[in-house]
Amino acid sequence: MVKIVMVVLKGNLVQMLKRVQHDKIKFFKDSFNFFSFLFLIFGAIACAVPPQDSLERQQNSAEPALRGSFMLSVQKAPPHDIQSVHLAPKGNPALPPVIKLHSPQKLVLSFDYLSEQNRQFRVEVSHRSRDWQKSPIGPSVYLDSFFQTYIQGSEESFSQQPAYQHLEYEFPNPQLRPIVSGNYLLEVYSYSGDELLFSVPFFITEDRGALQTRVETIFAQRKDAHSLDQLFSTYRYPPFIEFPQFDLGIAYTQNQFWGRMREAGFLNTFGRGEISGHIDRNEAFISDYEIKVLDLRSFVADGQQVLEYRPGTTPPTVILRRDVQNLDTNPRYFSASGLGIPIDDRSSGYARVQFSLDTDAAVPHSANIYIVGDFNNWMINDLNKMSYDIQQNLWQGHALIKQGEYAYKYVLVENGVMDDLALDQGFLAPRQEYLTFVYFKDPTHNFDRLLKVGRVVSR
């Protein structure tokens, strides 16, 4: 009964806020504290009488922390029957999920549900701080809409091995419209119930100020001979910034690995309206970071990467040429940011792809080796764990992958730490993509706004 009352009251309150905002009545600002107080009351009731399914969702979503993970700790990997999750600006699938506030730009979430039956999903978004904790502001502040909406339409695939439903969701839209900048987490649930299926981050920037970031490569600084990229930024901030050294923050990511975002050190003001920052040398990124390319635009055996194609199984089986530690048998120079885009043609199919890795004797047969890449959102998954085949003297593993072109790696996991450099010293290094984020701590509501996002690709 309490849950029903809360839903009704929240629905009425959101509608009231929308009418007030659309009429631009001053009453909205004067009554902000009153509405915030009501939300606190509703939150207190919800905490006092938590529904059982909500408790089960919290318990089931808890996962052990993994140091060195590519993805955020708040992200949840999709279940096995949801594949090819991709979020990017509309018309630019290779770009990161960043759009400008109050602009015509859209983001498109796409994914496949492996079933012949249509299914509906629920979408929720939450505003996050720069370190991905929940913001102190509520949905009435960061959304000019309901805080949840639904994905109802899908397209059935022509492929039947396996059959799947392709879904796309475009936003902002009238049902989901963020009105403040910052980090956001998009969560997809089953249509009814509280089962969280997967989550992905996105960013809304105000695109204010002028940002310049340069990359300086440092050689001979590591025992393993890897070179480093140190990032330096200069930001000309808007006039409303009064205390830039205290209220501004600069952070960097490499190749859209959100879980490895690194903060710039102490910020310096060296001119009127300008501030500079950089990451320390001991926080610098690997400049020759190595990633393999998987070209599965066609499953036909080409003698290069695909050795054998077995269409008689469900799903079909694709056997790849073995990878060898310290050796790249298919060298290509590329930018990692241009990969990871599944072919969304309804005739595109899935295959059970077999990977093989030949390691040196220093890697014990008991090691925990995983295959990670764009096709599994760079998340550690037991379905993609490799096992050692004594007869063939090879590590073997599998992944369900849709036709497309992807980046991937082999990584070691030991004692809760992921080592992504141990197995690929010989792979050819791609160009590195770096994103710079400039955050501003809003002094009124105490949340992190995102003023500017810059992108640079190393040479």
Side-chain angles (χ1 to χ4, degrees), residues 10 133 139 217 240 274 314-315 339 367 390 400 406 419 439 456:
K10 286 184 177 179
Q133 301 301 311
T217 302
F240 64 82
E274 289 189 346
T314 302
L339 301 174
I390 298 179
L400 185 65
Y406 305 90
D419 185 350
Y439 293 98
V456 62

Side-chain angles (χ1 to χ4, degrees), residues 294-309 318-321 330:
L294 175 60
D295 188 350
L296 277 185
R297 289 172 291 181
S298 171
F299 292 152
V300 177
D302 57 8
Q304 298 295 318
Q305 192 168 28
V306 177
L307 288 183
E308 187 176 351
Y309 174 52
V318 169
I319 299 177
L320 302 179
R321 181 180 297 277
N330 185 28

Side-chain angles (χ1 to χ4, degrees), residues 99-381:
I99 58 173
K100 183 180 177 181
L101 183 66
H102 302 316
S103 75
Q105 297 175 340
K106 305 286 186 180
L107 290 171
V108 178
L109 170 70
S110 62
F111 61 95
D112 294 337
Y113 170 52
L114 304 187
S115 174
E116 297 180 358
Q117 304 298 321
N118 189 13
R119 182 181 178 184
Q120 297 179 339
F121 300 87
R122 189 175 84 250
V123 175
E124 295 184 9
V125 299
S126 58
H127 192 273
R128 299 283 169 153
S129 64
R130 70 179 72 177
D131 60 357
W132 293 98
Q133 301 301 311
K134 285 189 175 181
S135 293
I137 56 175
S140 63
V141 178
Y142 61 79
L143 292 176
D144 180 25
S145 62
F146 295 102
F147 72 96
Q148 63 181 20
T149 184
Y150 299 91
I151 307 175
Q152 298 178 328
S154 64
E155 294 184 339
E156 185 176 358
S157 67
F158 298 132
S159 172
Q160 298 297 312
Q161 294 183 306
Y164 62 87
Q165 303 288 327
H166 180 71
L167 298 99
E168 291 190 357
Y169 181 74
E170 182 180 308
F171 68 98
N173 57 50
Q175 291 74 42
L176 184 61
R177 186 167 51 248
I179 54 176
V180 302
S181 65
N183 296 348
Y184 283 85
L185 187 69
L186 184 148
E187 298 177 316
V188 177
Y189 295 83
S190 56
Y191 181 82
S192 59
D194 286 328
E195 180 188 3
L196 175 61
L197 300 176
F198 66 91
S199 55
V200 287
F202 68 94
F203 308 85
I204 296 182
T205 173
E206 299 178 22
D207 195 25
R208 305 185 69 169
L211 174 67
Q212 289 186 335
T213 296
R214 73 178 192 276
V215 181
E216 293 188 4
T217 302
I218 307 169
F219 299 95
Q221 292 294 312
R222 291 173 56 99
K223 295 180 179 179
D224 58 11
H226 279 298
S227 54
L228 299 173
D229 277 347
Q230 191 173 11
L231 275 62
F232 296 81
S233 294
T234 301
Y235 178 62
R236 179 171 289 276
Y237 51 84
F240 64 82
I241 306 293
E242 297 183 9
F243 306 103
Q245 287 182 297
F246 301 99
D247 294 336
L248 293 179
I250 298 177
Y252 305 96
T253 60
Q254 181 185 39
N255 299 330
Q256 301 182 38
F257 294 151
W258 312 121
R260 297 183 168 189
M261 185 176 285
R262 301 177 185 179
E263 294 272 354
F266 184 76
L267 302 182
N268 297 297
T269 54
F270 62 94
R272 185 176 180 83
E274 289 189 346
I275 197 166
S276 66
H278 65 274
I279 54 174
D280 295 333
R281 183 165 295 191
N282 58 0
E283 290 289 321
F285 296 96
I286 301 294
S287 68
D288 51 355
Y289 193 77
E290 299 157 340
I291 297 176
K292 291 282 290 178
V293 178
L294 175 60
D295 188 350
L296 277 185
R297 289 172 291 181
S298 171
F299 292 152
V300 177
D302 57 8
Q304 298 295 318
Q305 192 168 28
V306 177
L307 288 183
E308 187 176 351
Y309 174 52
R310 300 174 182 173
T313 61
T314 302
T317 300
V318 169
I319 299 177
L320 302 179
R321 181 180 297 277
R322 67 171 181 169
D323 289 318
V324 181
Q325 185 180 359
N326 297 319
L327 175 66
D328 191 351
T329 59
N330 185 28
R332 294 176 59 190
Y333 191 64
F334 66 98
S335 174
S337 60
L339 301 174
I341 307 173
I343 299 177
D344 284 338
D345 189 320
R346 292 165 61 190
S347 61
S348 299
Y350 281 86
R352 186 173 185 262
V353 181
Q354 178 179 304
F355 294 81
S356 299
L357 176 65
D358 186 359
T359 61
D360 58 37
V363 180
H365 297 173
S366 59
N368 296 312
I369 300 179
Y370 293 83
I371 311 162
V372 294
D374 297 312
F375 44 80
N376 61 9
N377 301 104
W378 295 94
M379 292 183 176
I380 299 297
N381 191 321

